[in-house]
Every structure is written in C-alpha cells, then in structure tokens.
Amino acid sequence: MSAPIGVIVVDDHPVFRQGFAALLASIDEVEVLGTAADGAQALALVEEVHPQVVVMDVQMPVLDGIETTRRLAETHPDVGVVVLTMSEEDDTIFDAVRAGARGYLLKGAEPEEVVRAVTTVASGGVVFGAVLATRITDFFARPRQQESVPFPELSPREREVLDLVAAGMSNSQIAARLFLSQKTVRNHVSAVLTKLRAADRAEAIVRGRDAGLGR
C-alpha cells in the first residue's frame, strides 16, 4: 500500500480551513500535515513538514495565494499547488496558472473532485474544473495581441487598478469604479507593488504616470 499524500490547507477563514482539513483527513489516500491562515505561514509550514500538495485560497492577508504560489514554484517546484477559491475572474485564474498552480477549483466543488485534484497534482498532473478548463482553452485559442502594453508582468486587472491609482483614486473609489470589494482592491494594489518592486503607493503612482497611465 502506497504512503498517503501529504497535504497542507491554507485559508484565512478558520471555519472553512478546519472543515476542509477534516474532509481531507477522512480520506485514506490523504494525510493532512497542517494548516495555515496566510501565505507567510504556508511558506514556513512547507519548510517544516514538506507536503506533496498545498491546497490554497487566493485572497488572504499578509501574503496572498498568487504570490505564495509563485514563491513555492521557485523554491519548491516539487510541491503541487491546488488553488481552491471563490474567484471566477479570468485575471485570477490566469495569474494562478502563470504563478505555477497545477490545479484550480472553485469552493463548492464536490469532495470527490477535490480529492481527484489532489491525487492528480501529487502525481505530477494538472487539474482544472470543467468550466475553468473551457475558459482557459478559449483564452489560449484567441489570436495573440501584438501591441505592447506597459508593465506586462501585471495582469489586465492589476494594470487597470494601477491606472486608477496613478489617477489619484483611493482604494474605496477604485472599488466603487470597478464594482469590487475594498479587500479585493487592496489585494490588487499589494500585488502591483510587489510585482513592480515599488516601495510604496507613491512610487507606483510615479511609475504608472511615467508609463502613460492615470490620464
């Protein structure tokens, strides 16, 4: 009999985190090695317990799931990340894929689907929910745009947020403009600062305006 798959669960909502960990722990093929409430805790826990798979939310404090996935891909490429989130936004899906996630499921997926994703990713495979797989296929089937865009390392949504930041808008104003929660806007702004290696919001504004944004 093969050894169970070592998994850690990362989510900032304690009820979901504990409930989901209990679900996985009830599966014979899986061993839950620990849980974490944010990306920073997850990185430390990976170093401590050496899981095969990390099941991770996207929107979290301290360090979000996308950046955590990117760091894990760089430092622990043998660890498979399955993103499990509420977000169906194309930007979030493709950011996760670019960061190195090997699975992407929506919260509410059937337990069997989640377990199948964990076992597939642990064996080196890639898994996306049926709806998301179709959207990914459609995206890559589109003709590639040739025109250059400022800050190509940013996702379209992050570039849109930077444009509004460069225009001098506050997070609450941006949230109202884009019909997003202020938490989501804060996460986007944090991702922009990280990807641009900007020291603070003021530096991001200057760099955005220099690139023609915020007008």
Side-chain angles (χ1 to χ4, degrees), residues 5-215:
I5 299 165
V7 179
I8 68 172
V9 177
V10 187
D11 196 291
D12 62 329
H13 292 89
V15 173
F16 179 86
R17 182 174 68 249
Q18 294 162 10
F20 189 74
L23 168 66
L24 289 179
S26 69
I27 308 300
D28 291 339
E29 300 95 328
V30 175
E31 179 183 6
V32 177
L33 301 178
T35 64
D38 58 58
Q41 290 183 14
L43 293 175
L45 189 58
V46 167
E47 294 288 348
E48 178 184 348
V49 302
H50 309 291
Q52 293 165 267
V53 177
V54 176
V55 180
M56 181 147 48
D57 192 14
V58 171
Q59 294 185 356
M60 297 183 293
V62 185
L63 192 66
D64 66 35
I66 301 299
E67 182 59 25
T68 305
T69 299
R70 183 177 295 108
R71 296 188 188 185
L72 284 175
E74 293 173 352
T75 60
H76 296 82
D78 55 322
V79 176
V81 174
V82 177
V83 169
L84 185 64
T85 180
M86 296 293 292
S87 177
E88 297 184 62
E89 288 192 7
D90 285 353
D91 286 350
T92 305
I93 297 169
F94 295 121
D95 281 352
V97 174
R98 293 187 189 101
R102 299 211 300 263
Y104 194 110
L105 298 176
L106 297 177
K107 289 181 177 178
E110 294 296 326
E112 296 81 5
E113 185 178 9
V114 177
V115 172
R116 186 165 56 250
V118 168
T119 55
T120 300
V121 167
S123 63
V126 176
V127 176
F128 297 94
V131 173
L132 302 181
T134 299
R135 288 163 67 179
I136 290 170
T137 301
D138 290 345
F139 176 84
F140 286 108
R142 300 171 193 163
R144 295 179 64 88
Q145 295 182 346
Q146 299 300 319
E147 66 271 13
S148 61
V149 295
F151 310 115
E153 65 269 33
L154 301 182
S155 70
R157 175 66 84 186
E158 289 165 352
R159 199 174 298 110
E160 187 175 20
V161 168
L162 176 58
D163 183 40
L164 298 177
V165 168
M169 296 180 70
S170 66
N171 285 0
S172 60
Q173 291 172 321
I174 294 171
R177 171 72 67 86
L178 300 181
F179 301 101
L180 300 173
S181 70
Q182 290 194 45
K183 178 181 177 181
T184 297
V185 172
R186 286 196 301 271
N187 288 336
H188 284 313
V189 171
S190 177
V192 167
L193 295 180
T194 299
K195 290 182 179 181
L196 297 187
R197 294 181 171 84
D200 51 29
R201 193 183 188 99
E203 181 180 344
I205 290 173
V206 171
R207 293 184 60 184
R209 289 178 178 174
D210 286 345
L213 301 179
R215 297 177 179 176

